[in-house]
Amino acid sequence: MKISDLVSLRRPVLRFFPPACAGCDGFAASQGAFCSVCQMAAMPIYPPYCERCRVPMEQFGDSRTNSASLCSRCHQLEPCYERVWAHWEYGGAVADAIRRIKYGGDLPALRALCRGAREWFCTTLEELPRDAPLIPVPAHRSELRRRGFHVPSLALRLFGKRLESSRVDRVLRKKRPTSRQASLPFAARRKNVESAFATTPSSQGGGPAILFDDVLTTGATVDAASRALCEAGFGPVYVLVLARAPRPNF
């Protein structure tokens, strides 16, 4: 049998099998990201949360009573982004899936995550300015060579069937490599990404922009990226992430 014959048989055969689970090697529920077991460990984000960075407000004691409904960290630092939207808490099966993607190269898991987040993603975009460009938080070229792929860009491509292709814009670049943020405390994370981003020479700032990333923990990376956009004339900057750490290491 020729290879072309095998390829032609592939699609009908796959129709008999459920999609893969993002968190394990099992089968996912129809149109979902996870199998029934992992789904129980994939938590959505519930209020009350900070209206800017979406961290659960109980992390900051009585700060939930302030007039702007912002956490004490956002009051203190005033991040450059306007507001964060996130689909899941970063933990349980969601964290397992993202680790499989980023450190194991499990791209089918990314496809599964995007399948499960597609409705949320499209609904959230409807709340934002229609002419705002979607900008994936970039990686440095050395980081791209090491990993071989870029999670935010691939995710936007997977969401792309529901997007206008002209809406995705790589106006932002990462000027220098940075250390892995995961092992660093908050102050070190901010310093690590300080002035790491810039807009491309051909970009023309003006109007709102939407940053997209896979995970938000302390918010240091998206704040640095938002700052670069604001300095180039964009604003306000909104942030969409697949997952947000509920207990960031502040």
Side-chain angles (χ1 to χ4, degrees):
M1 181 178 288
K2 297 179 181 179
I3 293 178
S4 58
D5 295 330
L6 290 172
V7 171
S8 66
L9 288 172
R10 181 174 179 268
R11 288 175 183 165
V13 169
L14 288 179
R15 290 175 185 169
F16 292 99
F17 295 92
C21 172
C24 69
D25 294 322
F27 292 132
S30 177
Q31 301 304 312
F34 300 103
C35 65
S36 58
V37 175
C38 288
Q39 182 60 43
M40 292 187 291
M43 301 298 296
I45 295 179
Y46 295 109
Y49 44 68
C50 173
E51 291 298 326
R52 176 163 288 177
C53 76
R54 220 160 183 100
V55 72
M57 292 297 276
E58 58 265 24
Q59 300 297 314
F60 299 93
D62 63 359
S63 64
R64 74 174 67 190
T65 63
N66 68 64
S67 59
S69 299
L70 302 181
C71 69
S72 59
R73 182 64 67 180
C74 286
H75 265 298
Q76 178 185 354
L77 298 177
E78 296 185 350
C80 278
Y81 53 82
E82 184 73 14
R83 187 179 177 189
V84 170
W85 279 263
H87 187 40
W88 290 290
E89 285 189 4
Y90 183 67
V94 176
D96 290 343
I98 291 175
R99 283 192 289 265
R100 286 162 66 104
I101 296 163
K102 297 180 78 166
Y103 308 123
D106 191 342
L107 298 185
L110 178 60
R111 183 181 297 275
L113 274 188
C114 292
R115 181 178 63 239
R118 184 170 288 116
E119 182 177 353
W120 160 82
F121 182 81
C122 295
T123 300
T124 303
L125 281 186
E126 291 175 359
E127 301 178 28
L128 297 171
R130 294 185 62 86
D131 58 345
L134 267 166
I135 304 168
V137 174
H140 188 261
R141 58 181 179 273
S142 63
E143 297 163 350
L144 290 173
R145 283 196 299 266
R146 183 175 65 251
R147 180 164 290 167
F149 59 94
H150 184 230
V151 175
S153 293
L154 285 178
L156 287 178
R157 287 182 63 183
L158 290 168
F159 287 134
K161 292 181 179 179
R162 303 288 292 274
L163 295 172
E164 297 178 11
S165 59
S166 61
R167 195 169 184 185
V168 178
D169 195 333
R170 288 168 178 78
V171 67
L172 202 60
R173 64 187 179 91
K174 193 171 184 182
K175 299 187 294 183
R176 58 177 176 81
T178 55
S179 301
R180 278 181 55 183
Q181 293 279 76
S183 60
L184 300 176
F186 178 68
R189 287 181 184 228
R190 291 191 76 201
K191 188 172 182 60
N192 187 37
V193 295
E194 185 178 2
S195 301
F197 300 98
T199 53
T200 57
S202 61
S203 65
Q204 295 183 353
I210 304 169
L211 272 176
F212 177 79
D213 208 354
D214 51 345
V215 179
L216 187 150
T217 49
T218 64
T221 298
V222 294
D223 188 35
S226 298
R227 192 172 302 277
L229 289 171
C230 290
E231 288 174 352
F234 290 92
V237 178
Y238 305 99
V239 178
L240 270 64
V241 293
L242 292 176
R244 203 267 187 258
R247 293 173 177 82
N249 181 18
F250 284 153

